[in-house]
Amino acid sequence: YKTALKLDIQSANTSLGNLYRYSDDKFINISKAIKYYTRGAEYDQGESHLELGKIYYEGVRSEKIARDYELSRKHLEEAVRLG
């Protein structure tokens, strides 16, 4: 995936975000997932917006990411718009 990022394949951001969010427990890093999802969202990747919306809706206590319903709504609405 990192090679794909170097080649400017925008969907790789969403894939890397998924890797850091849904991987085995020892590899989960929500902060890194947010970093890559945010990059994907900048390229109008609907799935990145969806995942950011879910993260901000739920919050992540272990990584001190507070719930942010306004930010969640923004990303979820953008995900719907992008289809």
Side-chain angles (χ1 to χ4, degrees):
Y1 294 116
K2 290 186 179 185
T3 300
L5 286 176
K6 289 178 185 175
L7 296 173
D8 200 30
I9 299 172
Q10 293 88 7
S11 62
N13 287 297
T14 301
S15 297
L16 268 171
N18 288 338
L19 183 70
Y20 283 113
R21 183 161 189 216
Y22 297 111
S23 205
D24 294 334
D25 286 342
K26 66 181 181 176
F27 295 112
I28 290 178
N29 185 325
I30 301 302
S31 295
K32 282 188 179 181
I34 289 172
K35 172 184 164 183
Y36 288 109
Y37 287 144
T38 299
R39 287 183 184 174
E42 290 169 359
Y43 289 106
D44 286 336
Q45 296 290 312
E47 186 181 351
S48 285
H49 280 290
L50 176 63
E51 294 300 327
L52 285 167
K54 291 191 294 187
I55 288 169
Y56 288 119
Y57 181 81
E58 298 166 355
V60 182
R61 183 177 287 171
S62 64
E63 294 197 36
K64 297 182 181 172
I65 298 167
R67 289 181 176 175
D68 186 333
Y69 296 125
E70 186 175 323
L71 193 52
S72 173
R73 180 179 179 182
K74 174 190 157 208
H75 284 292
L76 293 174
E77 286 177 349
E78 195 63 18
V80 170
R81 184 187 72 78
L82 292 167

